[in-house]
């Protein structure tokens, strides 16, 4: 494992394609699914790479366990509905269900007939608007697994079936590297992670092509249709006027972001990007980092890829590990709960192949602490949080676990 300092210059990780191993340049599926700097948070004045808090404890002094909380059919995400505290789970086949007292309820959304689930495809994520009034879905449609982002208006505890609207449609050239994560940012806008389009080695060059939507983190305003689009373009997007790139693009140079999360303490964006042949990486971006280039396909982690080198102002990861320790990173969340108080400020993640829960803390843009815990599961593809900030881990095999203190 390697920490990358401030001056260091389904996932693909989803492995929804069962049995596919390694992200080699032969075009196969992934195993699961420059001067680098994270900068200072221009909004809060806090270093966006700092995760610690006064109540934190050294990671090697903490023991955790995975407590089975519920069972689902190939769950891909768990989210909390703001304003209600209700938990909802997406199942890969195309269902969204409430989760109450450890039991799944009847689906509030059923798009099974509209979702393709081969390779790294399916209903990949769900998210609620900041007011809890809108439910967003990210999924792949037949026959080729093209990406769709759609929205439904909530009506009580259900959705209004007549309210559905399609926000974004993106063609996908290959069956892998879908990305598919969606998050409402602290600014209220919808962030969308898309992989580079698949195969191996980014053959279409999407990562560094700012005019392409693939290989990017996008940012849109889903509540403000404008300019013939069913969404608006937020001010501050680096190519908002369409000059130099697609107006939806917020960051580029990604291979397959699986997954990303915002730290509520300083609004930093943590991105887990699945590697190609050797390196899995974690990058931290402050809110001021619009237009950041994470380097793919010139870089894999902090290493030049296929003769490439870090582009000007390219952002290097704060942490990486090689394929001796796993095959495909599953990104998680920064812990801000109270159940394991010493874990405060630690970024939790795992690897699809290894299945062990891991944690890092970062201070000043550099690795400050790390831990590989004894807690582990199989086919771990996603993390979620409840209203109190407690963390859950989802397995494609069915179990949904809660992270608890051991002993």
């Amino acid at each position: 494992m390697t920490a990358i300092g401030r001056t260091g210059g389904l996932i693909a990780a989803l492995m929804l394609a069962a049995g596919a191993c390694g992200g080699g340049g032969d075009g196969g599926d992934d195993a699961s699914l420059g001067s680098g700097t994270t900068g200072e948070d221009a909004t809060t004045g806090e270093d966006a790479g700092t995760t610690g808090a006064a109540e934190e404890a050294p990671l090697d002094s903490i023991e955790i366990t995975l407590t089975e909380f519920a069972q689902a059919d190939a769950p891909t995400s768990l989210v909390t509905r703001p304003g209600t505290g209700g938990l909802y789970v997406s199942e890969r086949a195309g269902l969204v269900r409430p989760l109450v007292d450890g039991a799944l309820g009847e689906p509030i959304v059923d798009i099974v007939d509209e979702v393709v689930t081969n390779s790294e495809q399916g209903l990949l994520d769900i998210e609620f608007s900041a007011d809890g009034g809108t439910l967003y879905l990210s999924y792949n449609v037949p026959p080729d697994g093209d990406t769709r982002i759609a929205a439904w208006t909530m009506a009580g505890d259900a959705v209004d079936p007549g309210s559905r609207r399609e926000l974004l449609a993106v063609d996908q050239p290959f069956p892998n590297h879908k990305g598919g994560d969606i998050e409402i940012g602290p600014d209220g806008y919808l962030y969308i992670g898309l992989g580079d389009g698949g195969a191996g080695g980014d053959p279409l060059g999407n990562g560094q092509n700012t005019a392409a939507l693939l290989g990017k983190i996008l940012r849109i305003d889903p509540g403000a249709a404008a300019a013939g689009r069913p969404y608006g373009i937020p001010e501050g997007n680096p190519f908002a006027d369409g000059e130099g790139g697609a107006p939806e693009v917020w960051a580029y140079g990604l291979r397959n972001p699986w997954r990303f999360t915002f730290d509520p303490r300083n609004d930093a964006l943590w991105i887990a990007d699945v590697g190609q042949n050797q390196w899995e990486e974690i990058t931290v971006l402050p809110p001021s980092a619009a237009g950041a280039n994470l380097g793919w396909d010139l870089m894999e982690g902090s290493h030049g890829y296929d003769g490439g080198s870090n582009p000007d102002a390219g952002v290097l990861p704060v942490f990486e590990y090689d394929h001796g320790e796993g095959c495909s990173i599953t990104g998680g969340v920064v812990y801000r709960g109270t159940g394991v108080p010493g874990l405060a400020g630690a970024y939790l993640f795992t690897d699809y192949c290894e299945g062990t829960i891991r944690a890092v803390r970062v201070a000043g843009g550099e690795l400050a602490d790390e831990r590989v815990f004894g807690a582990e599961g199989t086919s771990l593809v996603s993390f979620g949080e409840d209203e109190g900030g407690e963390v859950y881990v989802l397995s494609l095999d069915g179990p949904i676990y809660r992270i608890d203190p051991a002993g």
Side-chain angles (χ1 to χ4, degrees):
M1 64 193 69
T2 306
I4 307 301
R6 178 182 293 275
T7 59
L10 56 121
I11 278 180
L14 199 53
M15 198 173 186
L16 295 179
C21 224
D26 60 359
D29 290 335
D30 285 333
S32 51
L33 191 197
S35 59
T37 175
T38 57
E40 184 168 294
D41 188 324
T43 301
T44 66
E46 296 177 353
D47 190 312
T50 298
T51 55
E55 64 271 26
E56 72 181 34
L59 292 175
D60 65 5
S61 70
I62 302 168
E63 298 296 337
I64 62 171
T65 188
L66 296 182
T67 303
E68 186 168 321
F69 183 76
Q71 279 275 345
D73 184 6
T76 53
S77 64
L78 177 151
V79 299
T80 300
R81 183 183 178 192
T84 71
L87 295 175
Y88 292 80
V89 173
S90 64
E91 295 179 324
R92 182 187 174 196
L95 300 176
V96 180
R97 299 178 184 270
L99 177 57
V100 181
D101 296 328
L104 291 177
E106 291 300 311
I108 65 167
V109 173
D110 181 345
I111 55 169
V112 170
D113 292 340
E114 305 168 46
V115 173
V116 60
T117 58
N118 62 298
S119 187
E120 296 172 15
Q121 303 167 9
L123 171 53
L124 300 182
D125 200 13
I126 57 175
E127 177 69 314
F128 284 99
S129 60
D131 64 4
T134 303
L135 175 64
Y136 303 102
L137 274 68
S138 170
Y139 56 98
N140 304 113
V141 298
D144 299 320
D146 293 340
T147 292
R148 295 290 185 271
I149 309 295
W152 281 258
T153 300
M154 295 295 293
D157 293 331
V159 300
D160 175 358
S163 67
R164 176 177 175 172
R165 55 195 176 98
E166 183 176 290
L167 291 172
L168 188 68
V170 181
D171 291 345
Q172 292 280 358
F174 301 104
N176 56 345
H177 300 191
K178 302 302 183 186
D181 199 5
I182 52 176
E183 300 287 337
I184 291 292
D187 51 17
Y189 296 129
L190 183 64
Y191 289 71
I192 302 164
L194 293 177
D196 64 9
D202 195 9
L204 302 181
N206 286 318
Q208 292 297 307
N209 179 6
T210 55
L213 298 186
L214 296 175
K216 309 295 188 296
I217 300 289
L218 311 179
R219 183 175 74 154
I220 64 172
D221 183 350
R229 304 182 186 96
Y231 54 85
I233 301 298
E235 292 184 11
N237 278 15
F239 314 112
D241 59 3
E243 294 294 324
E248 296 87 351
V249 170
W250 192 81
Y252 64 105
L254 294 110
R255 183 175 179 272
N256 196 28
W258 188 264
R259 301 191 171 242
F260 62 90
T261 188
F262 290 93
D263 181 354
R265 182 168 181 257
N266 58 16
D267 296 343
L269 177 60
W270 289 70
I271 305 169
D273 201 12
V274 178
Q276 177 69 36
N277 295 318
Q278 188 170 0
W279 297 100
E280 306 298 309
E281 64 185 274
I282 297 169
T283 302
V284 187
L285 298 177
S288 58
N293 183 356
L294 278 64
W296 178 254
D297 63 344
L298 301 173
M299 302 288 288
E300 182 184 7
S302 64
H303 309 268
Y305 176 76
D306 197 24
S309 60
N310 200 33
D312 291 344
V315 180
L316 294 180
V318 296
F319 183 82
E320 63 183 11
Y321 63 92
D322 67 27
H323 284 187
E325 300 180 54
C327 73
S328 188
I329 193 168
T330 296
V333 298
V334 177
Y335 185 79
R336 298 298 182 189
T338 60
V340 192
L343 204 55
Y347 175 74
L348 300 169
F349 65 101
T350 187
D351 184 277
Y352 185 89
C353 293
E354 291 299 313
T356 52
I357 304 301
R358 307 181 64 161
V360 295
R361 282 200 183 98
V362 172
E366 297 183 352
L367 183 71
D369 199 0
E370 65 174 287
R371 175 72 187 277
V372 179
F373 292 100
E376 62 182 302
T378 60
S379 306
L380 301 181
V381 295
S382 192
F383 288 71
E385 296 174 279
D386 64 21
E387 189 176 37
E390 300 310 320
V391 175
Y392 300 78
V393 189
L394 282 64
S395 166
L396 271 184
D397 296 335
I400 298 173
Y401 303 100
R402 186 180 61 229
I403 293 181
D404 290 329

